[in-house]
């Protein structure tokens, strides 16, 4: 039997459980489980019709729990492939919903390896302004850091997570934004 605190109805109990799950799952998202690179989340709190949205491209929405699971798996695989180590740091996460949403502020620390290291070397003058430096062995002394917010929206009837949106704040949105900061001339996109 599920423990029901006094004064809480079924919806509140489900939301409290989902918030507890997110508090456990989000920080562990990119840790290793069975060699797959991340804690296996408890998908029971998500709607079968969950939508995933990257706020930088709001027109592109992934729909459905199977697609959401595949996306998380692909993201974990990508991080394992390109980075020696990754660590997700949750910098702020409430326990109560505001307008049926739970907001999470996070910082993802990434230590590059192999080809990713070479790609970052090409951008090293720009990356130094972000606090990244290479040692004499051309290894990054500090991690590459991605910062952003995740918002989890809850259904008002079922208390399931129906939408997960991500808004990345650092690094800049597009590579052209990064290049503009360090270029003396204007950058234009050239059509094919």
């Amino acid at each position: 039997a599920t423990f029901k605190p006094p004064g809480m109805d079924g919806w509140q109990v489900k939301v409290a459980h989902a918030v507890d799950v997110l508090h456990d799952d989000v920080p562990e998202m990119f840790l290793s489980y069975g060699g797959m690179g991340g804690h296996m989340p408890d998908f029971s709190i998500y709607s079968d019709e969950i939508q995933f949205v990257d706020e930088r491209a709001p027109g592109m929405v992934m729909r459905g729990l199977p697609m959401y699971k595949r996306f998380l798996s692909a993201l974990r695989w990508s991080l394992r492939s390109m980075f020696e180590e990754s660590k997700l740091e949750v910098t702020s996460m409430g326990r109560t919903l505001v307008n049926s949403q739970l907001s999470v502020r996070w910082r993802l620390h990434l230590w590059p390896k192999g080809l990713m290291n070479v790609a970052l070397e090409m951008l090293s003058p720009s990356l130094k302004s972000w606090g990244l430096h290479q040692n004499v062995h051309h290894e990054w002394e500090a991690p590459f850091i991605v910062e952003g917010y995740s918002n989890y929206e809850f259904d008002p009837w079922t208390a399931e997570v129906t939408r997960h949106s991500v808004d990345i704040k650092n690094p800049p949105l597009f590579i052209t934004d990064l290049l503009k900061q360090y270029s003396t001339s204007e950058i234009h996109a050239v059509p094919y």
Side-chain angles (χ1 to χ4, degrees), residues 16-49:
H17 170 69
V19 169
D20 285 345
V21 166
L22 290 170
H23 269 266
D24 291 341
D25 284 355
V26 171
E28 309 267 321
M29 189 71 67
F30 301 113
L31 296 178
S32 182
Y33 76 90
M36 290 301 292
H39 166 78
M40 182 59 89
D42 177 354
F43 290 109
S44 69
I45 64 169
Y46 298 96
S47 164
D48 288 340
E49 302 302 318

Side-chain angles (χ1 to χ4, degrees), residues 56 171-179:
R56 298 170 300 165
L173 295 180
F174 304 104
I175 194 69
T176 53
D177 294 340
L178 174 64
L179 294 174

